[in-house]
Amino acid sequence: MKFATVLAGLFASACVSAAPAIDPNVAKELIKFPVEYTLVEYPDVGARDVAEFNNGDTITLQYSVSNQEDKEVSLVGVGGSFRDPTNNQIKTNLTAAAIGPYVLAPGQSQTFVQKVPLNLIPDNYLLTPEVYVFYNDEMKALSIRGQLAVVSDVTISLFNPQLLFLELVLAATVAGLAYVAYQIWGASYFAGTAPVAPKIRKTASGSTVVSDAAWLPDVHVKQKKSKKVD
């Protein structure tokens, strides 16, 4: 138990403060420590295939290791990176995480998993996982075979429930603003321009006379008032 605690502490220190000090070249001496992995969510994708990933998903790498060395090897962590497949330059690093630690005696095997959340710029990538081990009193990084992958954004359907809800909210908001605008400006405008019905009264002879000239144009009213009777 104490040994496992020491290994976990060493790995945490290496990841936080001295991860670059882990030299992947020195791990080449581990020639009898094969490490393989599969993509749990994509069982049909092989090492020579191109995996198609979607942003927002989390992929699971299931590792299988076997210690064929003549010395004890301890598995203490996982990490890796997404690289540019054309020049092998690192585009983004995977978050290093402690595992176990699993102490493997010669001839022993171990399986474990690594969760990788996807939040990348849509592009082509080479996924290159790494396993961190403690061997010969040194922390070493084992680079594993790469996996070609295409990372894309998820296409949202117009009939997606969340999108439909947002569309309804937007439509209700627009309708509400239109109603408020009509009550503030539209109603008063139409009320001011509506025609006023003239008042009609009957004379003693039975004929009808318009007694309210408010419906007439101002010019006509003024002309009528200024006209003299001969």
Side-chain angles (χ1 to χ4, degrees):
M1 180 63 68
K2 290 183 179 179
F3 181 65
T5 304
V6 170
L7 288 178
L10 286 172
F11 175 71
S13 299
C15 291
V16 173
S17 60
I22 299 176
D23 186 359
N25 293 323
V26 300
K28 292 181 179 179
E29 63 183 271
L30 281 170
I31 59 176
K32 296 181 181 179
F33 195 81
V35 182
E36 293 294 334
Y37 69 91
T38 57
L39 300 169
V40 174
E41 292 83 5
Y42 304 86
D44 297 331
V45 176
R48 297 184 179 182
D49 298 327
V50 178
E52 297 182 2
F53 299 148
N54 290 322
N55 273 324
D57 292 344
T58 297
I59 59 175
T60 305
L61 280 61
Q62 181 168 314
Y63 294 89
S64 177
V65 301
S66 177
N67 182 16
Q68 300 174 8
E69 295 283 342
D70 58 359
K71 294 183 179 181
E72 193 175 77
V73 179
S74 298
L75 296 166
V76 294
V78 288
S81 60
F82 279 99
R83 298 173 179 262
D84 188 327
T86 62
N87 55 26
N88 207 36
Q89 295 296 314
I90 295 177
K91 288 188 173 183
T92 183
N93 286 312
L94 303 182
T95 301
I99 59 172
Y102 304 108
V103 181
L104 276 65
Q108 285 189 331
S109 300
Q110 182 67 50
T111 60
F112 55 93
V113 298
Q114 176 186 13
K115 298 287 186 178
V116 180
L118 298 175
N119 185 20
L120 302 169
I121 297 174
D123 204 348
N124 300 323
Y125 292 93
L126 179 65
L127 171 60
T128 55
E130 288 183 342
V131 173
Y132 300 103
V133 301
F134 199 74
Y135 179 73
N136 280 344
D137 299 326
E138 290 185 282
M139 185 79 70
K140 304 179 186 297
L142 300 180
S143 295
I144 313 169
R145 59 101 177 165
Q147 175 70 59
L148 289 172
V150 178
V151 179
S152 306
D153 286 330
V154 179
T155 302
I156 301 177
S157 171
L158 291 176
F159 300 100
N160 182 279
Q162 293 181 340
L163 185 59
L164 287 174
F165 176 74
L166 292 176
E167 291 173 348
L168 289 174
V169 171
L170 179 61
T173 301
V174 172
L177 292 174
Y179 177 77
V180 172
Y182 174 80
Q183 291 296 320
I184 295 175
W185 295 290
S188 58
Y189 172 79
F190 288 113
T193 58
V196 179
K199 296 180 180 179
I200 301 175
R201 62 184 179 83
K202 290 185 178 182
T203 62
S205 60
S207 61
T208 58
V209 178
V210 177
S211 60
D212 189 353
W215 63 279
L216 295 174
D218 292 342
V219 176
H220 183 72
V221 173
K222 291 179 181 179
Q223 290 178 350
K224 194 170 182 181
K225 288 182 178 178
S226 60
K227 187 176 179 181
K228 296 181 179 180
V229 181
D230 294 336

